[in-house]
């Protein structure tokens, strides 16, 4: 897109005011303190008190894998790993405390609060949620940023140990998606280094490079003129600025530094076409892209750039809505589609309008033509006034919500803006300034300007079509020459304009007869009001001030699909996907979405295995819309056979292909082992999709929500009981219901005792995947929930230290713990990891030894203290979140457990001995399942 056009556009739409003289700059938020040291280092500092007593610390490097030479491929990412393996002030081992070890003592957890990521163009390190009131924490975190900037030790022994970890990371992530991207990269990034600079690199380099090569790369590129320091949180900005100047000014900028050249992605006159297949790729993935130059960084400072950004966002949103509408029709050739209008493949110096689709089997050629046809239709005829009004309403509504909550933004909201400003010079106005500017600009940006921009996006140059599919389907794919023929064919087609058939009527034309509140109780201790309604339902209201423009809703009833007869297994499996495809009331799913344009209100229903749940969210002004959606979901789920046929067709195309993917096979085998091949817990089969009866499915779904008297509804947020009460009487008390009592869920048998399921599959990248699951009885009490959470965190720390770092056996062991209330009280504790097949048995033995050690001796006391610090810090933060208040409130009134009152005391009471006893209670039940998959 040419800047001259947008400049002219802005001058036209603002010609009546002072803007006609010059393009005014976007003001920089005066609450952020920025500066640049003499050595070139840039810093951003902002005071922000949400969460209280916390701060985030970042160092952003304009350095990524694109700067590697051929013999260095993988070193940028390797360097990121080494930042946690010894620095000048945190050497680790016998020389002193490591970064990870120190931060865990103040409640900062590796992986959750402490992390890093390497891209092609940048590397970002972060320390989040640092407790600033802890003595020395702020100073230590700044020292860590300093060490990351220029004081990594890069010891040979540490490098050699980390080679194993990175090799296992490559093994875990070298799946079909990664392989296929690497296969098409030389085409989509033709004549650019991006074609061969995936951050993971080459294992031949990772396994064999000389340590000095890594040190040379570090000292060449990790330097202050390419680094940005960001500190946001409950701090004194002036004091932080002094410390940054003091700590980072002595870091010298080397003489004769290498130029940081930004790799260009060349234009292409003829369409780039790429076709690649993989045996394990489960779907037929298609991408159609229309590349364009990015707006240069130096041209992002004026208000005209905000117009550019807005117009491209509108185009992406409206085109995406058209594709989503097509998904409701059974003849549509794709099972999924979405539009992205931003960085080309997420990297580089090109933007692109990108359409991503998943073609149904045998319809890859038709999907390519359809996607390209819709872009051409939008270019030929533009978008309609109705489409633009809806997209504009959604944009302004989101902007208004952000403005209303301008004083309630978390640290990360600002951090991400400053990262983008440092890397790409994206504007950083205040929320108030953005709100005021865009509310003045948007009403004067005409549809004609948007449509003219759409025409400029579609040219005969810079087009890319990529087909990435399953080897099993390759005989049905068009050749590259055939794809080029499709492009030419669509170019010459004469299309019809898109027709917008918006339904202009209220969500509910007639309101139901009101019910009533028959009993009201105030619970001062919990800050709640409790209503019993005339239909038997209960409503809990908990006002909070955590967000100015947010109201959350949760509804709960027991029973779930477990009470439905086994003859309906096909309908049960498809229920949650199928029940909502038809829309509500008089509105199809497409019409409903249009009706809700500009409104911040949503409601979702789920018939889970052992319960029914309702979740909702709205702004303050759209509360009644959320209540109407609630009423319609209970009473008027719409039957739309065409939408059902479309969904069934998409599922029949996608689900069978998943059997080619080892990760899906492993997950399915895991569920089959736990639930002893109960068909309720396996993926829907082709036969089940074909035999499922849509009418029966809707009847079964409605039966789970027909008695509102079984439900407890909880509202949390910026709402008062006085404001909510008439809406509750209108939209909840009016629902059908009785006080007959809730239906208990039916128990479903799970595996007991010891069980081992080992199987082999052909694999493109040899890896062993293993899951170890412990289950059993456990009283559903706050004390046990806290202990189980602590135990899960202890295992994560133990496995990270011993299995990942010491053994170098895996990129990471995933630990999941869950306390269960229904259908009976119990627990699940699951460990899962990928590794070299030759090392699988040894790592399982090592993990079993760790488990046995905790059972017999208890966890290390120092680790227990670290876990307690994190839990206490996280709890203090969570107490200021609506989501946390919602969960704790409904759990208290539904299950009768108090997860707040004694929480801090119970965490403080944790010890090595209490956790040893608890571990023995869990593991002593001897319910252990081990599922493993190895290559054939």
């Amino acid at each position: 897109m040419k800047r001259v056009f947008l400049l002219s556009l802005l001058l036209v739409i603002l010609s009546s005011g002072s803007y006609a003289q010059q393009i005014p700059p976007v003001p920089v938020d005066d609450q952020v303190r920025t500066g640049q040291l003499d050595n070139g280092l840039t810093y951003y500092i902002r005071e922000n008190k949400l969460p209280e007593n916390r701060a985030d610390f970042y160092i952003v490097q304009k350095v990524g894998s694109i700067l590697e030479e051929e013999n260095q491929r993988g070193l940028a990412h390797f360097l990121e790993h080494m930042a946690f393996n010894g620095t000048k002030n945190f050497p680790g081992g016998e020389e002193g405390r490591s970064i990870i070890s120190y931060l865990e003592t103040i409640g900062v957890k590796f992986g959750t609060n402490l992390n890093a990521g390497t891209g092609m163009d940048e590397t970002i390190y972060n320390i989040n949620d640092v407790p600033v009131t802890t003595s020395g924490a702020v100073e230590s975190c700044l020292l860590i940023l300093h060490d990351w900037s220029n004081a990594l030790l890069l010891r040979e022994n540490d490098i050699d140990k980390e080679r194993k970890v990175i090799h296992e990371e490559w093994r875990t992530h070298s799946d079909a998606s990664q392989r296929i991207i690497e296969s098409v990269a030389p085409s989509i990034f033709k004549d650019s280094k991006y074609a061969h600079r995936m951050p993971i690199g080459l294992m031949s380099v990772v396994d064999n490079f000389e340590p000095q090569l890594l040190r040379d790369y570090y000292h060449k590129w990790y330097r202050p003129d390419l680094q940005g320091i960001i500190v946001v949180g409950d701090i004194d900005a002036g004091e932080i600025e002094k410390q940054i100047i003091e700590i980072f000014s002595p870091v010298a900028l080397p003489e004769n530094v290498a130029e940081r050249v930004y790799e260009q992605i060349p234009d292409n006159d003829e369409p780039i076409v790429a076709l690649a297949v993989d045996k394990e790729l489960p779907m037929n993935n298609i991408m159609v892209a229309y590349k364009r130059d990015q707006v240069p960084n130096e041209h992002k400072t004026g208000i005209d750039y905000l117009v550019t950004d807005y117009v491209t966002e509108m185009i992406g949103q409206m085109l995406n809505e058209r594709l989503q509408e097509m998904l409701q029709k059974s003849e549509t050739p794709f099972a999924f589609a979405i539009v992205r209008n931003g960085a080309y493949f997420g990297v580089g110096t090109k933007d692109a309008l990108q359409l991503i689709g998943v073609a149904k089997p045998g319809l890859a050629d038709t999907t390519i033509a359809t996607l390209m046809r819709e872009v051409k239709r939008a270019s030929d005829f533009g978008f309609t006034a109705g489409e633009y009004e809806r997209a504009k309403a959604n944009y302004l509504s989101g902007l208004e919500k952000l403005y209303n909550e301008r004083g309630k933004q978390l640290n990360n909201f600002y951090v991400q803006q400053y990262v983008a400003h440092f890397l790409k010079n994206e504007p950083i106005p205040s929320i108030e300034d953005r709100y005021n500017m865009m509310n003045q600009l948007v009403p004067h940006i005409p549809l004609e300007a948007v449509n003219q921009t759409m025409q400029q996006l579609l040219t005969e140059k810079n087009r890319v079509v990529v087909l990435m599919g399953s080897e099993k389907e390759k005989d049905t794919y068009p050749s590259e020459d055939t794809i080029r023929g499709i492009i030419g064919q669509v170019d010459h087609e004469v299309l019809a304009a898109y027709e917008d058939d918006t339904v202009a009527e209220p969500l509910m034309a007639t309101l139901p007869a009101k019910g009533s509140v028959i009993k009201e109780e105030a619970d001062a201790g919990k800050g709640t009001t409790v209503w019993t309604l005339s239909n038997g339902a209960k409503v809990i209201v908990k006002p909070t001030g955590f967000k100015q423009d947010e109201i959350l809703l949760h509804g709960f009833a027991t029973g779930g699909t477990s009470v439905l007869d086994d003859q309906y297994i096909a309908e049960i499996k498809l229920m949650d996907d199928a029940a909502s495809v038809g829309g509500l009331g008089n509105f199809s799913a497409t019409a409903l979405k249009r009706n809700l344009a500009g409104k911040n209100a949503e409601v979702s229903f789920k018939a889970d295995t052992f319960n029914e749940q309702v979740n909702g969210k709205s702004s303050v002004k759209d509360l009644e819309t959320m209540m109407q959606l609630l009423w319609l979901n209970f009473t008027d789920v719409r039957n739309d056979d065409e939408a059902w046929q479309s969904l069934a067709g998409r599922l029949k195309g996608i689900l069978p292909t998943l059997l080619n993917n080892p990760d899906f096979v492993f997950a399915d085998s895991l569920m089959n082992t736990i639930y002893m091949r109960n068909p309720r817990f396996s993926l829907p089969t082709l036969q089940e999709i074909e035999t499922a009866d849509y009418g029966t499915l809707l009847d079964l779904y409605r039966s789970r929500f027909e008695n509102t008297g079984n439900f407890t509804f909880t509202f949390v947020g910026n709402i008062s009981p006085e404001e909510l009460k008439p809406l509750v009487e209108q939209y909840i008390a009016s629902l059908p219901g009785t006080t007959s009592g809730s239906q208990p869920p039916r128990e479903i048998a799970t595996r007991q005792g010891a069980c081992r399921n080992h199987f082999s599959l052909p694999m493109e990248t040899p890896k062993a995947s293993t899951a170890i699951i412990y289950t059993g009885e456990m009283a559903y009490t706050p004390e046990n929930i806290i202990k189980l959470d602590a135990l899960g965190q202890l295992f994560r720390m133990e496995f990270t230290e011993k299995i990942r770092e010491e053994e170098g056996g895996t990129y990471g062991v995933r630990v999941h713990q869950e306390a269960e209330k229904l259908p009976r009280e119990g627990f699940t504790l699951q460990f899962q990891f990928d590794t070299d097949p030759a090392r699988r048995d040894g790592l399982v033995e090592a993990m079993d030894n760790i488990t046995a050690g905790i059972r017999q001796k208890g966890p290390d006391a120092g680790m227990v203290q670290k876990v307690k610090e994190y839990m206490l810090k996280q709890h203090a933060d969570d107490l200021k979140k609506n989501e946390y208040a919602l969960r704790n409130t409904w759990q208290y009134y539904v299950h009768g457990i108090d997860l707040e009152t004694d929480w801090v005391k119970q965490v403080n009471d944790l010890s090595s001995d209490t956790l040893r006893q608890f571990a023995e209670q869990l593991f002593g039940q001897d319910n252990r399942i081990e599922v493993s998959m190895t290559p054939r």
Side-chain angles (χ1 to χ4, degrees):
M1 191 184 307
K2 297 180 180 178
R3 178 177 163 81
V4 66
F5 164 72
L6 290 162
L7 198 57
S8 301
L9 167 65
L10 189 68
L11 290 173
V12 168
I13 62 179
L14 299 177
S15 59
S16 60
S18 61
Y19 289 119
Q21 304 304 315
Q22 62 178 354
I23 299 298
V26 178
V28 173
D29 187 350
D30 61 11
Q31 294 302 302
V32 57
R33 188 177 299 218
T34 64
Q36 189 173 71
L37 304 183
D38 292 341
N39 57 15
L41 181 135
T42 303
Y43 61 83
Y44 303 78
I45 309 166
R46 183 191 183 96
E47 296 181 10
N48 186 55
K49 296 189 180 298
L50 196 64
E52 294 179 2
N53 302 320
R54 304 286 182 264
D56 291 355
F57 296 77
Y58 278 65
I59 180 167
V60 183
Q61 319 266 358
K62 294 180 179 178
V63 179
S65 58
I66 198 65
L67 297 177
E68 298 166 350
E69 300 300 330
E70 188 64 24
N71 68 336
Q72 299 173 326
R73 289 176 63 182
L75 294 195
H77 174 247
F78 203 109
L79 197 55
E80 172 220 309
H81 277 241
M82 293 307 299
F84 300 93
N85 283 282
T87 71
K88 176 182 177 181
N89 291 290
F90 298 88
E94 296 180 358
E95 300 176 44
R97 179 170 282 177
S98 70
I99 288 174
I100 294 174
S101 178
Y102 164 69
L103 290 174
E104 286 177 340
T105 66
I106 62 171
V108 175
K109 184 161 64 171
F110 180 59
T112 302
N113 309 130
L114 172 65
N115 218 324
T118 304
M120 289 190 180
D121 289 297
E122 70 286 321
T123 306
I124 302 173
Y125 300 84
N126 64 280
I127 316 171
N128 292 343
D129 293 326
V130 174
V132 297
T133 54
T134 299
S135 177
V138 170
E139 295 77 9
S140 295
C141 287
L142 289 173
L143 204 55
I144 291 170
L145 298 187
H146 164 272
D147 283 8
W148 281 340
S149 74
N150 78 115
L152 301 187
L153 297 180
L154 301 178
R155 296 169 295 210
E156 185 168 348
N157 183 56
D158 294 330
I159 290 172
D160 288 339
K161 287 172 62 178
E162 203 63 27
R163 295 183 202 267
K164 298 177 182 178
V165 175
I166 292 177
H167 204 121
E168 292 308 319
E169 180 179 359
W170 167 84
R171 191 187 311 280
T172 293
H173 294 156
S174 188
D175 56 11
S177 297
Q178 181 65 29
R179 289 192 300 271
I180 209 84
I181 289 295
E182 291 178 356
S183 179
V184 300
S187 297
I188 61 178
F189 296 125
K190 185 180 179 182
D191 298 327
S192 167
K193 280 179 68 176
Y194 286 109
H196 303 287
R197 288 299 180 270
M198 294 297 165
I200 195 66
L202 298 176
M203 291 306 100
S204 58
V205 173
V206 168
D207 292 342
N208 299 296
F209 71 83
E210 291 295 327
Q212 190 58 42
L213 191 66
L214 182 66
R215 298 178 188 125
D216 291 344
Y217 181 90
Y218 176 54
H219 293 301
K220 179 179 181 179
W221 295 116
Y222 273 45
R223 59 188 205 225
D225 63 317
L226 299 178
Q227 295 171 336
I229 300 297
I230 300 172
V231 181
V232 177
D234 197 356
I235 43 87
D236 182 326
E239 182 59 32
I240 293 295
E241 185 175 39
K242 290 178 184 178
Q243 292 185 54
I244 287 175
I245 293 171
E246 179 182 349
I247 293 172
F248 289 93
S249 290
V251 178
L253 179 67
E255 296 182 3
N256 302 317
V257 296
E259 182 183 0
R260 175 36 167 122
V261 177
Y262 287 86
E263 182 73 12
Q264 299 300 305
I265 299 173
D267 292 335
N268 53 285
D269 292 332
E270 297 298 322
I272 291 174
V273 176
L275 170 61
V277 297
D278 189 279
K279 290 180 180 179
E280 297 172 2
L281 195 68
M283 301 177 194
N284 307 315
N285 302 278
I286 291 167
M287 192 200 75
V288 177
Y290 302 82
K291 297 189 299 184
R292 64 182 185 270
D293 289 334
Q294 291 183 342
V295 176
N297 287 353
E298 62 271 20
H299 293 164
K300 294 180 179 179
T301 58
I303 287 181
D304 58 326
Y305 178 65
L306 297 184
V307 176
T308 303
D309 200 43
Y310 165 81
V311 169
T312 54
E313 182 177 337
M314 292 297 97
I315 288 171
Q317 185 181 144
M318 289 187 287
L319 191 54
N320 189 63
E321 288 301 314
R322 289 188 180 184
L323 297 183
Q324 302 315 304
E325 179 183 348
M326 293 177 71
L327 284 172
Q328 297 297 107
K329 301 174 182 178
S330 57
E331 68 271 15
T332 299
F334 48 81
F336 168 84
I338 196 167
V339 177
R340 296 279 185 255
N341 204 357
Y344 178 59
F345 267 86
V347 300
T349 51
K350 278 281 194 290
D351 280 342
L353 176 65
Q354 298 164 99
L355 287 78
I356 302 162
V358 175
K360 294 176 182 176
L363 296 177
D365 52 352
T366 310
T367 295
I368 292 170
T370 301
L371 294 177
M372 299 196 74
R373 195 172 287 128
E374 290 312 308
V375 176
K376 185 176 188 297
R377 193 188 314 278
S379 177
D380 288 352
F381 300 99
F383 298 99
T384 68
E387 289 178 291
Y388 185 45
E389 285 305 311
R390 291 191 297 272
K392 187 162 51 175
N394 286 332
Y395 177 88
L396 292 174
S397 177
L399 198 64
E400 180 184 30
K401 182 174 175 60
L402 182 64
Y403 176 77
N404 290 340
E405 295 179 347
R406 60 194 179 278
K408 301 289 187 176
Q409 297 303 316
L410 295 172
N411 293 334
N412 189 61
F413 172 82
Y414 298 108
V415 167
Q416 295 310 313
Q417 291 184 60
Y418 306 151
V419 169
H421 184 270
F422 178 67
L423 293 175
K424 292 287 189 179
N425 201 35
E426 293 295 327
I428 48 173
S430 67
I431 293 175
E432 294 91 335
D433 283 340
R434 184 181 291 275
Y435 175 80
N436 290 327
M437 286 186 296
M438 296 313 295
N439 269 286
Q440 293 175 30
L441 284 169
V442 167
H444 300 288
I445 301 176
L447 175 60
E448 292 75 16
V450 177
N451 287 338
Q452 186 177 349
T453 303
M454 179 66 219
Q455 291 175 348
Q456 291 192 343
L457 292 182
L458 181 59
T459 69
E460 293 185 358
K461 295 183 178 182
N462 282 331
R463 293 187 290 185
V464 181
V465 177
V466 183
L467 170 54
M468 300 170 285
S470 167
E471 187 173 277
K472 187 178 180 181
E473 289 274 321
K474 68 178 180 180
D475 290 342
T476 70
Y477 295 152
S479 66
E480 292 186 6
D481 285 342
T482 301
I483 293 173
R484 292 187 180 93
I486 292 171
I487 296 171
Q489 172 193 326
V490 174
D491 283 347
H492 293 93
E493 287 182 356
V494 177
L495 304 176
Y498 170 81
E499 295 184 5
D500 186 9
D501 55 351
T502 304
V503 178
E505 63 178 81
L507 198 58
M508 292 178 60
T510 304
L511 297 184
K514 283 187 176 183
S516 61
V517 172
I518 62 173
K519 183 179 181 182
E520 179 171 326
E521 302 168 274
D523 187 338
K526 291 296 177 184
T528 58
T529 299
V530 182
W531 295 320
T532 301
L533 307 185
S534 52
N535 58 3
K538 286 192 176 298
V539 174
I540 321 299
V541 190
K542 184 178 177 65
T544 70
F546 307 145
K547 286 285 189 74
Q548 292 300 114
D549 200 19
E550 181 178 83
I551 299 169
L552 302 183
L553 159 68
H554 182 267
F556 187 91
T558 60
T561 60
S562 67
V563 303
L564 301 177
D565 194 272
D566 285 349
Q567 66 176 307
Y568 302 120
I569 282 178
E571 287 80 11
I572 290 169
K573 287 184 177 184
L574 299 170
M575 186 174 289
D576 280 329
D577 288 326
S580 60
V581 297
L584 298 172
N586 295 329
F587 298 90
S588 67
T590 298
L592 181 64
K593 193 169 186 179
R594 291 174 177 174
N595 183 278
L596 295 174
K599 295 184 172 67
N600 277 301
E602 58 187 67
V603 172
S604 63
F605 276 45
K606 182 175 179 61
D608 215 335
T609 306
F610 304 115
N611 58 67
E612 290 79 41
Q613 295 200 47
V614 176
N615 288 289
K617 183 177 182 179
S618 80
S619 62
V620 172
K621 75 173 185 179
D622 293 323
L623 172 61
E624 185 164 9
T625 299
M626 180 177 74
M627 299 296 281
Q628 291 182 344
L629 289 171
L630 176 74
W631 194 90
L632 288 170
N633 270 281
F634 266 106
T635 64
D636 207 356
V637 173
R638 185 173 174 273
N639 185 318
D640 187 332
D641 191 66
E642 183 178 21
W644 156 250
Q645 293 298 333
S646 175
L647 173 65
R650 299 198 304 271
L651 293 176
K652 283 190 285 187
I654 291 175
L655 291 175
T657 67
L658 299 179
L659 298 177
N660 299 322
N661 185 278
D663 292 333
F664 282 102
V665 173
F666 181 75
D668 199 42
S669 298
L670 184 59
M671 295 299 286
N672 277 325
T673 304
I674 295 171
Y675 290 100
M676 298 184 293
R677 297 199 173 276
N678 187 322
R680 288 174 179 257
F681 297 95
S682 61
L683 291 172
T685 65
L686 189 60
Q687 181 181 3
E688 287 171 334
I689 298 170
E690 291 176 341
T691 59
D693 183 82
Y694 181 47
T696 300
L697 184 152
L698 288 181
D699 288 343
L700 292 170
Y701 177 81
R702 292 170 181 137
S703 74
R704 299 314 311 143
F705 296 95
E706 64 185 359
N707 185 4
T708 316
N710 294 338
F711 280 80
T712 297
F713 298 94
T714 306
F715 291 83
V716 166
N718 187 14
I719 183 68
S720 69
E722 294 76 20
E723 294 169 322
L724 183 62
K725 188 173 183 178
L727 296 175
V728 165
E729 292 180 323
Q730 181 71 75
Y731 296 108
I732 298 182
S734 62
L735 290 167
T738 69
T739 58
S740 59
S742 60
Q743 186 175 11
R746 179 166 63 92
E747 286 198 28
I748 296 176
T750 57
R751 183 83 58 180
Q752 301 295 303
C755 174
R756 186 174 183 271
N757 176 14
H758 173 79
F759 64 97
S760 298
L761 286 179
M763 295 184 191
E764 294 297 290
T765 301
K767 71 175 179 180
S769 298
T770 301
I772 301 171
I773 307 102
Y774 296 93
T775 61
E777 297 178 357
M778 184 190 79
Y780 193 76
T781 65
E783 182 180 9
N784 283 344
I785 292 171
I786 288 170
K787 287 180 178 177
L788 184 63
D789 185 16
L791 200 59
Q793 294 190 54
L794 285 162
F795 275 112
R796 287 186 191 93
M797 294 171 67
E798 287 276 12
F799 292 153
T800 297
E801 180 180 315
K802 294 183 171 65
I803 305 300
R804 171 179 158 135
E805 298 300 332
E806 293 181 11
E807 294 283 347
T810 182
Y811 178 54
V813 179
R814 299 177 291 282
V815 178
H816 171 74
Q817 72 279 350
E818 184 173 355
E820 297 153 358
K821 176 67 177 180
L822 299 172
R824 60 182 180 277
E825 297 185 355
F827 78 96
T828 296
L829 182 60
Q830 178 173 325
F831 312 142
Q832 188 168 331
F833 67 98
D834 300 321
T835 189
D836 181 344
R839 302 197 63 188
R840 194 205 79 86
D841 291 347
L843 294 182
V844 169
E845 182 179 359
M847 292 168 64
D848 286 345
N849 289 337
I850 291 171
T851 302
I854 290 178
R855 285 183 65 179
Q856 295 163 11
K857 301 177 183 178
D860 176 77
M863 280 194 173
V864 173
Q865 186 57 39
K866 291 178 179 179
V867 167
K868 290 163 65 171
E869 290 289 342
Y870 173 77
M871 293 178 72
L872 292 169
K873 175 179 74 76
Q874 192 61 48
H875 178 66
D877 293 348
D878 288 342
L879 285 174
K880 299 297 178 67
K881 297 176 182 177
N882 282 332
E883 295 83 358
Y884 195 65
L886 181 69
R887 188 201 70 169
N888 290 349
T889 302
W890 79 257
Q891 289 257 358
Y892 178 75
Y893 287 99
V894 170
H895 295 321
I897 63 167
D898 189 336
L899 294 170
E900 289 185 2
T901 302
D902 294 324
W903 200 95
V904 172
K905 177 182 182 302
Q906 288 169 342
V907 171
N908 282 323
D909 287 344
L910 293 174
S911 67
S912 179
D913 190 56
T914 59
L915 289 170
R916 178 193 62 77
Q917 295 178 44
F918 182 69
E920 177 58 33
Q921 291 173 15
L922 302 189
F923 298 127
Q925 298 177 56
D926 294 327
N927 294 323
R928 181 186 184 275
I929 297 171
E930 181 181 326
V931 178
S932 60
M933 177 181 67
T934 54
R936 183 184 302 164

